Amino acid sequence: MKPTFISLVLFLSLCCTAQNNPSIAYSALRIEMLFPEGKTKALILSYDDGRTEDRQLVKLMNKYHLIGTFHLNSNKLSTPTYLNKEEISTLFAGHEVSVHSANHPNLVDQSKIDVINEIVEDRKELERLVGYPVRGMAYPFGNTNDEVIEAMDGLGIEYARTVGDSYKFEIPKEYLRWHPTLHQFAKAYWETNQPEKDAQELAHFYKVIDDFLKTKELALLDIWGHSWEMNNDTTKWNETEKFFTLLANNPAIYYDTQIHIVDYLNAFKNLKFAINKSTVTNNSALDVYFKINNKVFKAPAGKTTVLNL
């Protein structure tokens, strides 16, 4: 539909009014979140199950100063092929320990009380092992539905990751339906006897990483997987180290656990701006960074700050 004369007049009138009325002009200012330290990219690395291969994975992550989130099944710990309970606190120091259910059932097949028990039991035991509130989760098999999420209400879980790869760098709108960017190595497990397909998936994996590194937009890269997928395969471990080196020590990337990213997102959402954007109050315990019309600002934790627009 072509614009009418009336609509053009109205548009021009509003533009002129905005120029002459600062309150209207200020209300049109665009506020854009930045990650901590004013960075435009953030990286989440998360791994499920708590198998013994996590030892080698954590050692490799620490070598490159990368931070991981590890979703553990507490009732499987201290059993064959799983980590020992006694090592959890030390092994994952500096990383996040998170819920993965106590026994790893498919939660969508469980009754409401069983879903609650699986999460609460896992959370209680993991908190006993690490000594801090455990507030995140990855769904067993990546499966969830409305009934599972309803059962989780009030259990203290602030995000829950699926395995529904988005292949995007967007921040999820629903934290209890947190879809990651992609699985480690995409779907190339080197176990399908389809070398050509695996090569395509691996190439896709590195293409996504390259897109992340090159984008100028705000970008969150969320890679998930299992350390046991590498097992004792030198090729897979070498490939893991390769992509770690691509992502490590990049001044444009913010590295942190998933729960701390969630805390930061909530802190940004809870900033209190004056009507004319001249001041902002940050009631959280985290410094928050943002842009207004491409000018970068910092809202220090627990303070009201004057913004010189």
Side-chain angles (χ1 to χ4, degrees), residues 41 88 108 150 159 169 231 267 270 287:
K41 306 178 197 292
I88 298 302
V108 299
E150 181 182 351
Y159 75 83
F169 310 127
N231 198 1
N270 288 323
D287 292 343

Side-chain angles (χ1 to χ4, degrees), residues 43-48 53-70 91-96 184 223-227 230 237 240-245 247-249 255-258:
L43 174 66
I44 293 173
L45 297 170
S46 64
Y47 295 88
D48 299 351
E53 291 85 355
D54 279 359
R55 295 167 186 154
Q56 185 173 348
L57 182 62
V58 170
K59 183 178 180 180
L60 194 59
M61 294 177 78
N62 290 344
K63 175 182 176 180
Y64 291 99
H65 308 290
L66 294 170
I67 302 173
T69 291
F70 292 85
L91 177 64
F92 295 120
H95 303 275
E96 176 190 0
Q184 182 168 321
I223 297 175
W224 70 279
H226 309 87
S227 62
M230 277 78 80
W237 282 109
T240 300
E241 185 163 12
K242 176 184 174 181
F243 96 79
F244 279 2
T245 60
L247 291 169
N249 303 312
Y255 305 92
D256 210 339
T257 62
Q258 188 158 357

